[in-house]
């Protein structure tokens, strides 16, 4: 199955979704729709999170104790399930960011050997 | 009890997820209306963007850890899917069922034959599993005999056996008695014979034929011909049916063509050989018949 993506859209790297979700929640509790919108907006529309990945990821994160969920009413009076970062989730986010930075530096070093 | 608690908990989560997804869709739709679309289109667009609802639900459910009822449910879903597929293309299903039936049938027949010939006890023989070849002490040799006198005389094939032959095999006579060891110690020119009671059909007709002067070869060829004719009709029907089925299957299977001449010819030749071999024996037997004896019996 080939997924058609607009030219300016990039596919999410395997294993980075959890990090992006956790990072989004740093600004406060958010519901699933809000998370997907935030990721899209902050990536200038380049990253589009499929709901088929988003909700499984959210439930997985909750099971691991990195986020906590609770039902609340949004400012537009819509009942929604809000996810909140836990202290453990904050630590996990730091670990994943570290790993990501290392990965970027390592790949950058390979791609541009002159600079390093 | 633990299972039911797990099940209830599971149902709650299910409802929870349902509500969560509904909220997502509602928010998405509202945003689109705010962006200036008419009310019905955004709901559909939101649904579309959400992707496959069932897929999302299933993928999410997987993260909860599996209960055995989930596995049972997935098996059940696979099953209903398979049934729907089969119902959707009845022609294909029929061909598959037919091929399976033929395959199973051939296997059953082959096994049944093997069972009857090699495994199952011989009918009427006691402890046939303990049977061994001890030819030297019982059976002597095959020989032709003349049965009856004068016009009634018939040529038959028989075997010279020792008196213990039937006792060893445990074969008993339906009527009268079989040979006993006592029969071994008769005088020089006395002999005891056991005559099998057999019924042979169409003896009468052959008798008439031969009586009005039909030579042996004509009886032989007549019997052979009737067998071969049957075989030919069968072959033609079989090849036609095979071609039809192959035509259907060719579209479904990889590397199978409808008209593989060599295999059709080979199959036909095999059938022909079988038919000739099978009709040869009765034809030969019929041609050996004594016409007068055959007529007199009726």
């Amino acid at each position: 199955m080939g997924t058609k993506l607009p030219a300016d859209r990039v596919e999410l790297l395997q294993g980075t979704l959890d990090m992006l979700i956790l990072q989004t929640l740093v600004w406060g509790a958010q519901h699933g729709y809000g998370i997907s919108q935030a990721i899209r907006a902050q990536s200038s529309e380049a990253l589009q999170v499929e709901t088929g990945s988003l909700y499984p990821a959210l439930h997985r994160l909750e099971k691991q104790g990195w986020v906590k969920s609770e039902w609340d009413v949004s400012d537009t009076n819509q009942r929604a399930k809000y996810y909140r970062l836990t202290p453990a989730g904050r630590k996990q986010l730091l670990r994943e960011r570290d790993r990501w930075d290392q990965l970027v530096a390592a790949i950058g070093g390979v791609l541009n050997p002159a600079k390093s | 009890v633990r299972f039911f608690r797990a099940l209830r908990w599971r149902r709650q989560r299910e409802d929870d997820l349902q509500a969560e997804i509904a909220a997502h869709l509602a928010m998405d739709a509202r945003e689109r209306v705010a962006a200036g679309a008419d009310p019905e289109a955004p709901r559909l667009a939101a649904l579309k963007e959400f992707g496959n609802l069932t897929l999302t639900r299933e993928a999410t459910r997987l993260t909860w850890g599996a209960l055995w009822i989930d596995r049972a449910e997935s098996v059940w879903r696979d099953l209903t899917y398979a049934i729907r597929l089969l119902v959707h293309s009845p022609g294909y299903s029929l061909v598959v069922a037919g091929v399976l039936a033929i395959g199973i049938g051939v296997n059953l027949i082959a096994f049944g034959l093997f069972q009857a010939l090699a495994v199952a006890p011989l009918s009427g023989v006691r402890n046939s599993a303990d049977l061994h070849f001890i030819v030297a002490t019982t059976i002597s040799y095959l020989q032709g005999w003349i049965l009856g006198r004068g016009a009634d005389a018939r040529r038959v094939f028989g075997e010279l056996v020792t008196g213990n032959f039937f006792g060893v095999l445990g074969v008993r006579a339906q009527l009268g008695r079989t040979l006993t060891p006592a029969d071994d110690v008769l005088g020089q020119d006395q002999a005891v014979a056991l005559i099998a009671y057999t019924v042979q059909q169409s003896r009468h007709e052959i008798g008439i034929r031969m009586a009005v002067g039909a030579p042996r070869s004509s009886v032989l060829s007549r019997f052979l011909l009737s067998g071969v004719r049957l075989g030919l009709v069968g072959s033609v029907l079989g090849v036609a049916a095979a071609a039809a089925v192959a035509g259907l299957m060719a579209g479904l299977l990889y590397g199978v063509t409808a008209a593989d001449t060599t295999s059709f010819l080979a199959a036909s030749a095999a059938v022909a050989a079988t038919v000739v071999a099978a009709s040869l024996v009765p034809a030969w037997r019929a041609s050996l018949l004594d016409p007068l004896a055959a007529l007199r019996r009726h």
Side-chain angles (χ1 to χ4, degrees):
Chain A
M1 261 190 280
T3 42
K4 263 187 265 159
L5 293 170
D8 54 346
R9 210 179 259 182
V10 289
E11 242 169 310
L12 213 51
L13 269 180
Q14 193 84 38
T16 54
L17 179 60
D18 288 7
M19 181 174 68
L20 292 184
I21 292 172
L22 292 176
Q23 176 64 40
T24 310
L25 293 178
V26 164
W27 314 111
Q30 190 56 274
H31 44 71
Y33 178 69
I35 293 170
S36 78
Q37 290 303 95
I39 291 176
R40 189 197 291 200
Q42 278 154 22
S43 68
S44 318
E45 309 275 314
L47 294 176
Q48 165 90 57
V49 184
E50 300 285 333
T51 47
S53 327
L54 176 66
Y55 284 97
L58 280 172
H59 285 241
R60 196 171 52 237
L61 291 175
E62 184 174 16
K63 196 180 179 186
Q64 258 149 341
W66 295 334
V67 299
K68 258 182 120 130
S69 70
E70 102 203 313
W71 284 91
D72 205 347
V73 178
S74 77
D75 33 317
T76 54
N77 217 14
Q78 167 75 49
R79 237 172 74 80
K81 201 174 180 185
Y82 279 78
Y83 292 87
R84 180 186 312 281
L85 208 57
T86 63
R90 217 168 277 276
K91 269 186 212 139
Q92 173 66 14
L93 174 59
L94 285 178
R95 269 198 299 276
E96 290 198 16
R97 286 193 69 143
D98 260 7
R99 235 184 33 206
W100 176 254
D101 288 342
Q102 279 171 22
L103 185 68
V104 169
I107 290 179
V110 173
L111 292 183
N112 307 305
K115 274 188 191 168
S116 59
Chain B
V1 177
R2 233 184 81 204
F3 168 70
F4 282 111
R5 209 179 316 145
L7 205 63
R8 211 174 52 211
W9 175 80
R10 168 60 54 103
R11 199 149 296 148
Q12 276 168 7
R13 294 204 75 157
E14 197 79 53
D15 294 343
D16 199 61
L17 178 61
Q18 197 80 31
E20 194 174 6
I21 290 169
H24 182 110
L25 290 174
M27 284 185 281
D28 199 4
R30 188 171 305 136
E31 207 98 325
R32 275 163 212 269
V33 172
D38 62 85
E40 182 55 13
R43 203 185 63 81
L44 291 177
L47 256 179
K48 203 159 117 197
E49 183 133 318
F50 200 94
N52 191 331
L53 270 178
T54 317
L55 197 75
T56 302
R57 270 214 293 276
E58 270 173 20
T60 310
R61 221 182 280 140
L62 270 182
T63 66
W64 301 344
L67 234 52
W68 65 260
I69 197 148
D70 293 331
R71 280 175 217 135
E73 201 193 325
S74 96
V75 167
W76 172 247
R77 220 172 303 129
D78 287 349
L79 220 78
T80 50
Y81 177 62
I83 291 170
R84 278 209 307 277
L85 265 187
L86 289 180
V87 170
H88 180 68
S89 44
Y92 171 75
S93 312
L94 274 179
V95 170
V96 169
V99 167
L100 281 176
I102 290 170
I104 293 168
V106 166
N107 267 306
L108 272 179
I109 290 168
F111 178 73
L113 267 178
F114 180 73
Q115 158 103 352
L117 295 178
V119 181
L122 294 168
S123 65
V125 176
R126 220 183 334 108
N127 298 336
S128 67
D130 299 338
L131 216 56
H132 298 282
F133 281 101
I134 34 177
V135 182
T137 58
T138 56
I139 304 167
S140 180
Y141 58 89
L142 197 72
Q143 197 184 330
W145 310 82
I146 306 290
L147 204 62
R149 269 204 192 109
D152 237 348
R154 287 174 53 200
R155 272 180 292 174
V156 294
F157 284 112
E159 265 173 65
L160 265 176
V161 299
T162 50
N164 63 354
F165 181 76
F166 294 96
V168 168
L169 294 181
V171 175
R172 266 180 305 233
Q174 197 78 30
L175 254 177
R177 68 170 182 94
T178 58
L179 301 183
T180 64
D183 296 323
D184 283 344
V185 290
L186 290 168
Q188 271 282 302
D189 39 0
Q190 286 177 299
V192 179
L194 188 80
I195 305 169
Y197 174 78
T198 53
V199 184
Q200 277 175 324
Q201 279 188 335
S202 79
R203 268 180 134 211
H204 192 65
E205 188 210 324
I206 299 162
I208 293 174
R209 253 164 220 291
M210 289 176 98
V212 295
R216 250 190 72 191
S217 60
S218 97
V219 171
L220 189 72
S221 60
R222 193 182 158 73
F223 258 64
L224 262 182
L225 263 180
S226 69
V228 168
R229 206 162 42 210
L230 251 177
L232 268 180
V233 172
S235 292
V236 169
L237 285 180
V239 166
V245 171
L248 270 172
M249 300 287 291
L252 305 168
L253 298 179
Y254 171 78
V256 173
T257 53
D260 186 1
T261 328
T262 327
S263 48
F264 275 123
L265 281 180
S268 305
V271 169
T274 314
V275 165
V276 170
S279 42
L280 206 55
V281 176
W284 183 259
R285 278 235 304 267
S287 75
L288 285 176
L289 216 68
D290 178 25
L292 282 180
L295 282 175
R296 202 169 286 254
R297 300 243 152 196
H298 286 269

